[in-house]
Amino acid sequence: MHPILIIVFAPLLAALIAGLGNRFIGNVAAKSVTTAGLFLAAGLSWPIFLGFLGGTEAAQVVPVLKWVESGTLTFDWALRVDTLTAIMLVVINSVSALVHLYSWGYMEEDPDQPRFFAYLSLFTFAMLMLVTADNLVQMFFGWEGVGLASYLLIGFWFKKPSAGAAAIKAFVVNRVGDLGFMLGIFGTYLVFQTTSITEILAAAPGMSGSTITFVGMRLYTMDILCILLFIGAMGKSAQLGLHTWLPDAMEGPTPVSALIHAATMVTAGVFMLCRLSPMFETAPTALTIVTIVGAATCFFAATIGTTQWDIKRVIAYSTCSQLGYMFFAAGVGAYGAAMFHLFTHAFFKALLFLGAGSVIHAMHHEQDMRYYGGLRKHIPLTFYAMLAGTLAITGLGVYHLGAGFAGFWSKDAILEVAFARGNGAGQFAFWAGAGAALLTSFYSWRLMFLTFWGKPRWEQSEHIQHAVHDDHGHGDHAHDDHNHASHDGTAGYHPHESPVSMLLPLGVLSIGAIAAGQVFAPAFLDSAAFWGGSIFYNEPLIHAMHAVPYWVKYTALIVMLIGFAGAYVAYIAKPDIPAKFVATFGALHNFVYRKWYFDELYDAIFVKPAFALGRAFWQLGDIGIIDRFGPNGIAWVVDRSATAAKSIQSGYVYTYALIMLLGLVAAVTYVLL
């Protein structure tokens, strides 16, 4: 049996066992089988990836079964294994395995653990189906599968109204993007008469310059197809306009946030664009749109991250911003750089989310950073893990030393290649990316300073006070907490480090956040042989990237230091500055804090009119017409007719004889007249 079959179907089998067995097999069995399945998949994924890295592995397609044969539409269910797939296998399975292990501690008190772990494994299976797809229909199957699994996981705590609303929002917003994706697939089949990705990419250069009629206009065929496909990517990967679901996804448990943001759903759009990169290279207008949307998303999301107080929402907007980097890298033609940032981002973003979960666990589920402070002394292991993630996402590194954290290698490469592209969209992306890097540094260090430095502010938190109050009813445990807390004056609560099952994944991910860029940069950025034709590799652009001026190479480091200094002054040296800024620039702060009013705008344009239309159809159509003249009207007629008919059912023979005589007279009269 080929290892890829085990890699893909082990999570599905584990999900079925845990989901169907549920409470019958119990928590430990469900957690064990799903976690073991993911570690098995991760263990088999790394040799495949290292084989491509070392040049000993070759691209291949592993057939599974015959799927569809209908006229000219014929395709099998087959698993494609090449460099691009191998990268995604490592990212998805490694992060998912660590998230499964982490969830042993984080979800320990949840009564529905088998269902949660089944959903996690199902999510992983759907993403694996997407990245191993050999045709567009199979890719769409995985595409919709991660949408379903995200709906189930975001709304996992379904008794919580906000969780249900967030799950519905994610599902609906993604349906908008998926409509574009479906139209793109339909159009691609119409043009190429196949859904095979290999055949489409081989034929795509021959379609360059051709036109097609679309919405009554004659437009370039490849531009239209690629724009439609990109709309699908915008939904899944939360690009500007279809991004509104991503922050609300924080309503799910923290391990879900880590999995969605680091390894699965949000990376699907970037993967799809890189998989179809030879097709996008024939569509210059589409690539320009990708570049501009990605750069705008990058900067837009970073601005919002500077104002949020919820620790998970700050990291969520960070994800949205980092995805923007990946898209504008692909838009300027550097697909290898886009995938490299996806690869490094998976490590440090999973680390930051799981680290935030460890903080939330220590703070009795309090997520507001205004009620943290001074935690580095109480949860030092979590602090060092978060520090590694922060240094990685802010891109600390020095070009001339050839050393830096993961984000330094991938994000700096994206800025350099955008500058090297030389066109207007590339220049816009470079400066937007540089501005976003400054803001990324600011909000990342703001998070660290508010959480781990300063005086403890726990006594202001209602969550923690309620927890302490509850603990006081449990004797010695509450008394011990009170004794520890009395040293720092925090009214009876002492933060505690997370269990080993949560700390071990933080340690592994910290290694990736520190070293992944340094180790893999040469292969991802400079080796066409490594990619083996799995993406479009623009070698002249990569050479131009290395030849950019030194000030370009040091731009990211400079803005990172400026962001760090700004956060230090505002939250450590002179902590009264933020309040003064808000008082002076209240309108600007409110605009950014309210997320540029996208939710309010969509509510006014789409949600309220939809509800009004629904009420109109309900009141006028359903009740006023259908019910009135349908069920209610007919029921009224039948009821009155039955009452009238009942009154003449006397049981006397002469009554029936009279009725028969009247009927006979009526019939004869009708005939005669």
Side-chain angles (χ1 to χ4, degrees):
M1 180 182 291
H2 196 283
I4 191 65
L5 295 172
I6 300 175
I7 291 171
V8 171
F9 291 107
L12 175 62
L13 180 61
L16 291 173
I17 293 173
L20 298 177
N22 207 289
R23 295 180 185 178
F24 177 77
I25 64 173
N27 292 344
V28 175
K31 292 189 292 187
S32 298
V33 70
T34 51
T35 306
L38 263 299
F39 271 95
L40 174 63
L44 294 173
S45 298
W46 276 96
I48 294 176
F49 171 70
L50 295 175
F52 281 105
L53 191 66
T56 59
E57 194 84 29
Q60 58 183 307
V61 176
V62 180
V64 178
L65 51 82
K66 288 285 184 183
W67 199 0
V68 171
E69 291 183 1
S70 177
T72 60
L73 181 61
T74 303
F75 52 87
D76 298 334
W77 192 353
L79 306 178
R80 181 177 184 82
V81 185
D82 58 14
T83 303
L84 189 61
T85 305
I87 293 168
M88 296 304 295
L89 292 179
V90 164
V91 168
I92 295 164
N93 289 317
S94 299
V95 173
S96 184
L98 293 172
V99 167
H100 274 71
L101 178 60
Y102 179 93
S103 299
W104 278 64
Y106 194 86
M107 301 296 288
E108 185 178 8
E109 298 177 0
D110 195 278
D112 285 332
Q113 293 177 56
R115 180 167 63 91
F116 177 78
F117 279 83
Y119 287 170
L120 280 185
S121 294
L122 179 64
F123 199 173
T124 307
F125 165 72
M127 191 64 189
L128 292 172
M129 285 303 307
L130 192 158
V131 301
T132 57
D134 189 44
N135 60 74
L136 291 178
V137 179
Q138 188 177 327
M139 182 182 286
F140 187 72
F141 172 81
W143 194 271
E144 293 303 296
V146 294
L148 168 65
S150 68
Y151 170 79
L152 296 173
L153 284 167
I154 294 170
F156 176 75
W157 287 318
F158 56 86
K159 294 182 180 179
K160 185 179 175 185
S162 57
I168 293 172
K169 185 176 183 179
F171 201 78
V172 170
V173 172
N174 272 275
R175 296 289 70 70
V176 177
D178 291 351
L179 175 61
F181 191 47
M182 285 189 288
L183 291 175
I185 293 174
F186 298 156
T188 302
Y189 176 72
L190 178 68
V191 171
F192 294 99
Q193 291 298 300
T194 181
T195 62
S196 168
I197 293 174
T198 304
E199 295 175 14
I200 291 168
L201 298 184
M207 294 301 298
S208 180
S210 66
T211 59
I212 191 173
T213 301
F214 182 73
V215 293
M217 296 181 287
R218 200 73 186 170
L219 302 169
Y220 286 109
T221 304
M222 299 309 294
D223 278 325
I224 290 301
L225 295 181
C226 291
I227 290 170
L228 289 171
L229 293 170
F230 175 59
I231 291 172
M234 287 177 64
K236 275 290 179 288
S237 296
Q239 292 302 283
L240 186 63
L242 295 178
H243 67 282
T244 54
W245 67 270
L246 192 63
D248 290 39
M250 298 303 97
E251 291 292 339
T254 298
V256 173
S257 305
L259 193 57
I260 289 178
H261 285 246
T264 53
M265 187 165 168
V266 297
T267 61
V270 180
F271 167 81
M272 183 267 287
L273 201 150
C274 291
R275 169 63 82 202
L276 302 179
S277 53
M279 186 174 170
F280 274 82
E281 281 297 309
T282 65
T285 302
L287 283 179
T288 300
I289 292 173
V290 172
T291 304
I292 293 173
V293 171
T297 304
C298 178
F299 182 79
F300 154 80
T303 63
I304 300 175
T306 62
T307 62
Q308 300 301 302
W309 294 111
D310 186 313
I311 187 171
K312 287 173 64 177
R313 283 184 179 269
V314 173
I315 304 174
Y317 278 107
S318 165
T319 299
C320 195
S321 181
Q322 299 302 308
L323 288 165
Y325 279 107
M326 299 174 207
F327 273 106
F328 81 68
V332 299
Y335 303 98
M339 287 303 301
F340 187 33
H341 197 52
L342 186 154
F343 181 78
T344 60
H345 175 263
F347 290 105
F348 61 71
K349 186 49 58 69
L351 176 60
L352 288 170
F353 263 116
L354 297 185
S358 183
V359 172
I360 294 167
H361 183 269
M363 298 304 292
H364 228 292
H365 305 292
E366 176 60 73
Q367 295 181 199
D368 193 322
M369 295 184 296
R370 287 172 291 190
Y371 305 131
Y372 291 169
L375 287 177
R376 71 185 189 280
K377 299 176 183 177
H378 302 280
I379 47 174
L381 298 178
T382 299
F383 162 69
Y384 286 117
M386 289 284 284
L387 182 61
T390 300
L391 292 171
I393 194 173
T394 56
L396 179 62
V398 180
Y399 171 74
H400 277 90
L401 295 179
F405 287 77
F408 161 75
W409 294 96
S410 57
K411 186 163 65 176
D412 283 32
I414 290 174
L415 292 176
E416 290 166 21
V417 80
F419 184 88
R421 186 65 180 180
N423 58 14
Q427 292 298 307
F428 170 72
F430 171 77
W431 290 109
L438 189 154
L439 296 173
T440 299
S441 178
F442 177 82
Y443 67 65
S444 296
W445 288 109
R446 171 180 179 263
L447 183 153
M448 291 296 290
F449 292 144
L450 285 172
T451 303
F452 295 105
W453 273 272
K455 294 181 179 179
R457 301 179 296 276
W458 316 327
E459 68 276 4
Q460 302 168 21
S461 168
E462 292 184 10
H463 286 152
I464 293 177
Q465 291 312 305
H466 288 161
V468 172
H469 179 73
D470 292 342
D471 284 346
H472 284 172
H474 293 83
D476 293 337
H477 176 69
H479 181 68
D480 290 341
D481 277 351
H482 179 75
N483 286 340
H484 285 297
S486 62
H487 294 294
D488 50 32
T490 52
Y493 185 73
H494 178 66
H496 52 86
E497 193 63 274
S498 299
V500 175
S501 63
M502 293 173 65
L503 293 176
L504 187 59
L506 295 182
V508 175
L509 290 169
S510 296
I511 296 172
I514 294 169
Q518 192 99 29
V519 172
F520 297 108
F524 276 85
L525 298 176
D526 299 319
S527 175
F530 168 68
W531 290 107
S534 61
I535 63 170
F536 179 86
Y537 186 79
N538 190 334
E539 196 158 356
L541 182 62
I542 298 302
H543 289 313
M545 176 190 80
H546 291 305
V548 298
Y550 284 133
W551 70 265
V552 175
K553 294 180 180 294
Y554 277 96
T555 296
L557 176 61
I558 292 169
V559 296
M560 178 264 173
L561 294 174
I562 293 172
F564 170 81
Y568 178 82
V569 171
Y571 294 96
I572 298 295
K574 298 181 179 180
D576 59 330
I577 286 181
K580 291 181 179 178
F581 178 88
V582 172
T584 306
F585 302 100
L588 174 63
H589 175 269
N590 201 45
F591 176 74
V592 177
Y593 180 72
R594 298 295 294 271
K595 300 161 284 190
W596 292 34
Y597 292 105
F598 266 94
D599 282 326
E600 290 81 357
L601 179 65
Y602 287 174
D603 186 61
I605 295 176
F606 301 114
V607 178
K608 288 180 179 176
F611 274 104
L613 187 62
R615 281 192 297 270
F617 278 122
W618 170 45
Q619 293 288 347
L620 299 177
D622 199 20
I623 297 176
I625 298 174
I626 297 174
D627 284 352
R628 181 180 179 186
F629 297 105
N632 292 347
I634 293 174
W636 181 85
V637 171
V638 170
D639 180 64
R640 292 305 175 92
S641 300
T643 301
K646 182 173 66 175
S647 65
I648 62 174
Q649 300 295 324
S650 63
Y652 296 111
V653 175
Y654 58 79
T655 303
Y656 300 138
L658 176 62
I659 293 171
M660 292 172 64
L661 179 60
L662 292 174
L664 182 60
V665 170
V668 171
T669 303
Y670 176 77
V671 171
L672 292 177
L673 295 178

